[in-house]
Amino acid sequence: MEKKNVELVDFHVHPLLNVVNEKEFLKEVEKANLDLVVLVALDLDPGFLEDWCVRRKFLEDCLELNICDCLQALDTVRRMLNMGHVDNNVVGKLVKDNPRRFLGIGSVNPCKSLSYVKEKLKEIKKLGLIGVKLIPTLQFFNPLREEKKLKEIFDFCEEHDKIVLYHTGCDPYLWEAPRFSENANPIYLESYVREYKNVKFILAHMGSYSSKYPGIWFREAVELGKKYSNVWFDVSAVPYLLLEKNYTEIIHREIGWDRILFGSDYPVVYNSSISSLISYLEKYSYLSEKDFCKVMGLNAVRLLGL
Ligand SMILES: [Zn+2]
């Protein structure tokens, strides 16, 4: 990527072209005046729910949460996974068509076979994507149980200088229940971030996303960031981390602002646009101007070595 003046970077955007078509999507990016956008692939597979063991566990969890129509819930989840899936090639094509403005992060589902994981990593390398997105909620994996495949992924990241974008916190719909999202608690990452010191792990949502319990694993995320300098964060879907004093003070005191990245999660968060989110943050964030500039772009520039 050629060097240029990069000041405003959105590190977390989903090119869900079935939700927002390509033209609208590009218009939104233009409107927000972003210098650089990191597009995130999501390797999701509704077919996974056809596995009898997975389905049984899913239905048991539904019953535990007093969800009466478990089969309908199963159907909704299938639809969500279908809709949320973004192929690495889609991201690769958008980056190829807009090389001055887009960078892409690929995705691989660690629940699948080791040979599948290896194939996907090859694909990510071939497409020139800058990292790997993992999402234990929608990919239904437990980070400790999938150690072998995660190590394959992190070895790849270390060898090829790729970053890891790792979902932490809850997720919409059934995953609002911590029972469904517990695999996305940052505490399960400690052994990996310790072992892979040369790999930068970005904890998406800083452990905090939850509509029922905002800031659900914020504390755990902060602890990890305090201990390991290769742990970074994005504030996508949780802009209140920059707006509410009880969060900004903790970040300021315990981690500082050098490893915090702006992300919008567009278009996943409804009723919001990237430009209005940025204006709102400019107006109401608790950060000093210097720290604000770091979060909105300068940190990303440093992370990406631009
Ligand atoms: Zn997201």
Side-chain angles (χ1 to χ4, degrees), residues 113-131:
S113 66
L114 187 60
S115 59
Y116 175 91
V117 169
K118 286 181 180 174
E119 270 313 303
K120 281 281 152 187
L121 293 175
K122 260 195 225 159
E123 182 178 87
I124 287 170
K125 184 167 173 255
K126 197 169 144 226
L127 290 167
L129 303 177
I130 62 162

Side-chain angles (χ1 to χ4, degrees), residues 12-14 40 42 133 135 165 167 171 204-205 234 236-237 264-266 268:
H12 192 134
V13 167
H14 298 277
V40 181
L42 276 184
K133 162 84 171 184
I135 178 160
L165 181 61
H167 174 97
D171 242 332
H205 322 300
D234 83 33
S236 60
S264 65
D265 223 357
Y266 179 82
V268 175

